Amino acid sequence: MRITAARVVVSCPGRNFVTLKLETDEGVHGVGDATLNGRELAVASYLTDHVVPLLIGRDAARIEDTWQYLYQGAYWRRGPVTMAAIAAVDTALWDIKGKVAGLPVYQLLGGRSRDGVTVYGHASAETTDQLLVDVEGFVARGYKAVRLQTGIPGLAATYGVGTPGTTYEPAKADLPEEAVWSTERYLTHVPAVFEAVRKEFGPHLRLLHDVHHRLTPIEAARLGKSLEPYTPYWIEDPVRAELQAGFRLIRQHTTTPLAVGEVFNSIWDCEQLIREQLIDFIRATVVHAGGISHLRRIFDLAALYHVRSGSHGATDLSPVCLAAALHLDLAIPNFGLQEYLPHSAETDTVFPHSYTFEDGYLHPSEEPGLGVDLDEEAAAAYPYRPAYLPVNRLEDGTMHSW
Ligand code: EZ4
Ligand code: CO
């Protein structure tokens, strides 16, 4: 079975997505997500100009060989643009293989290891009182785990705080917004938020928090220690992770579990973190870490070192990525938790899908392949719009890390 056509579709049904659609001479097609928030067109060009010409005529059954061909053949290894492009090809080929076999992709990955995929949602609000109301809504819908984010008193805007009842979307149209950050105000505030939520909801609801790379290792250690009485399920991205050895310092001081990796694009970004058992959950995703094939490799390495999966699942990961993630989540032995933020109605129109949410669990469909598609006609009604994630500065104007 040969690949006969490959199209890159950039669309903005509420937010931007880059999607690859592969067609074959046997009439079977597959889809893959290639969205890189704020840098979408770079991946679209990488695919259209440098990958699509290499795919035409290739055997669609050769998933691993195609992965190695694109990864090793480029000479310039790794990087978010390259790996998102490879991910899209890999995901689309798994979709095709499932359809050819007449099986959902999770069956090709070894079959189910659990009944459903436990997910967490984002509870967020400006104040702690409002947050309690939002958490209550998640509990009522059956969620077993919620991420807690609030505004920080004294700061005008805080990244990752959405408006309850709306679709989560931190990227804003036009140029990047600038926000002011204060580590001191933040570290003072967060433990009180956790205390209030624990008191109201008891010991069994899993509570998470995303630090968005804002702290140094010793500051992160202090945060972890201060949250220990409220037993967080994890704190995420406590520091940026280019320096993997930096996590040793956090580990020396706190038993609060650590989750890292939504910006990672290869196994080499987390090899030391995993091998030295410096983290508890690896948050790499299908679209940003080289597709189903490479993410499975990361999860297999993690399994050897008691590290579980905790894949990123924000709204900039398209329904195609989410569907692929669910098949992998269902099959691997060391699944931990999956992030889940429902997409907007426009996004759902462009990406018809058959995964379902029930009582805190997501279920991939039993359809052959991934169980998700791209409606190209619907996508054409939503042209690309430039949008960027915000940047942060300290109170004195210094640029501050993600
Ligand atoms: O910043 O998806 O855990 N979720 C997050 C998200 C990410 C965005 C980046 O594109 O941190 O808000
Ligand atoms: Co995050």
Side-chain angles (χ1 to χ4, degrees):
M1 189 176 47
R2 300 281 155 189
I3 298 170
T4 51
R7 276 194 299 289
V8 180
V9 176
V10 181
S11 66
C12 188
R15 70 151 358 273
N16 291 315
F17 294 107
V18 180
T19 313
L20 177 69
K21 181 170 177 179
L22 298 183
E23 291 177 351
T24 65
D25 55 5
E26 294 183 20
V28 180
H29 74 272
V31 288
D33 182 18
T35 309
L36 188 60
N37 204 359
R39 297 293 185 271
E40 294 87 356
L41 299 185
V43 190
S45 161
Y46 191 107
L47 281 167
T48 306
D49 297 326
H50 303 296
V51 174
V52 167
L54 312 181
L55 295 178
I56 307 303
R58 285 186 72 83
D59 181 355
R62 294 177 61 161
I63 300 178
E64 182 65 27
D65 181 65
T66 301
W67 196 97
Q68 298 297 340
Y69 176 79
L70 294 174
Y71 181 80
Q72 303 192 41
Y75 187 74
W76 312 105
R77 294 173 189 215
R78 304 161 57 182
V81 175
T82 297
M83 297 304 278
I86 295 176
V89 176
D90 183 82
T91 305
L93 291 179
W94 277 103
D95 191 22
I96 289 171
K97 194 174 282 295
K99 288 175 179 170
V100 169
L103 292 170
V105 167
Y106 78 83
Q107 293 289 12
L108 306 181
L109 298 171
R112 62 172 69 229
S113 289
R114 55 198 50 80
D115 299 330
V117 174
T118 312
V119 298
Y120 73 92
H122 285 199
S124 80
E126 274 307 317
T127 70
T128 307
D129 282 349
Q130 293 163 347
L131 180 74
L132 296 176
V133 175
D134 205 27
V135 174
E136 179 61 47
F138 281 94
V139 172
R141 294 197 291 282
Y143 280 81
K144 315 290 183 266
V146 278
R147 191 186 94 163
L148 308 177
Q149 309 291 138
T150 64
I152 308 298
L155 299 183
T158 311
Y159 185 79
V161 179
T163 310
T166 64
T167 308
Y168 177 77
E169 185 45 76
K172 296 290 180 314
D174 301 325
L175 297 177
E177 288 181 356
E178 301 210 357
V180 174
W181 175 256
S182 161
T183 295
E184 294 80 1
R185 289 176 191 274
Y186 169 77
L187 287 178
T188 307
H189 183 63
V190 177
V193 173
F194 266 77
E195 184 183 19
V197 175
R198 254 309 160 233
K199 199 165 152 219
E200 184 86 8
F201 294 93
H204 299 306
L205 183 63
R206 294 177 180 177
L207 303 180
L208 300 80
H209 176 68
D210 193 344
V211 187
H212 292 114
H213 318 246
R214 299 281 195 269
L215 303 177
T216 64
I218 202 67
E219 290 165 350
R222 180 178 145 206
L223 175 68
K225 274 178 91 162
S226 68
L227 294 181
E228 278 172 24
Y230 318 113
T231 58
Y233 189 72
W234 77 41
I235 58 171
E236 170 189 340
D237 290 340
V239 303
R240 46 183 232 204
E242 291 96 320
L243 180 67
Q244 296 182 43
F247 279 70
R248 290 178 187 148
L249 192 53
I250 314 176
R251 275 301 211 217
Q252 285 161 15
H253 294 285
T254 180
T255 58
T256 291
L258 305 176
V260 182
E262 68 183 41
V263 303
F264 293 174
N265 53 69
S266 100
I267 200 165
W268 302 106
D269 292 333
C270 48
E271 181 266 344
Q272 185 182 7
L273 288 172
I274 291 172
R275 196 170 34 78
E276 291 190 27
Q277 298 176 261
L278 299 177
I279 58 173
D280 301 280
F281 297 91
I282 178 71
R283 283 183 47 73
T285 59
V286 171
V287 55
H288 298 134
I292 291 173
S293 299
H294 192 66
L295 189 56
R296 183 174 59 174
R297 194 150 286 148
I298 293 174
F299 289 161
D300 278 347
L301 176 70
L304 301 182
Y305 295 95
H306 303 284
V307 175
R308 284 179 283 170
S309 74
S311 284
H312 190 204
T315 43
D316 51 300
L317 289 70
S318 90
V320 177
C321 177
L322 181 59
L326 295 178
H327 287 279
L328 199 49
D329 290 340
L330 202 62
I332 58 171
N334 55 327
F335 169 77
L337 200 57
Q338 169 70 50
E339 186 176 27
Y340 172 50
L341 294 167
H343 289 100
S344 69
E346 297 118 292
T347 300
D348 285 343
T349 309
V350 169
F351 297 98
H353 54 81
S354 48
Y355 50 78
T356 50
F357 173 87
E358 199 188 341
D359 193 31
Y361 298 94
L362 274 172
H363 302 275
S365 79
E366 293 298 319
E367 283 177 22
L370 294 173
V372 62
D373 212 343
L374 169 71
D375 182 335
E376 290 183 77
E377 215 172 291
Y382 300 102
Y384 168 78
R385 286 201 313 250
Y388 292 94
L389 291 165
V391 298
N392 266 280
R393 291 186 187 278
L394 300 179
E395 288 162 301
D396 70 357
T398 308
M399 266 295 296
H400 191 58
S401 172
W402 279 93

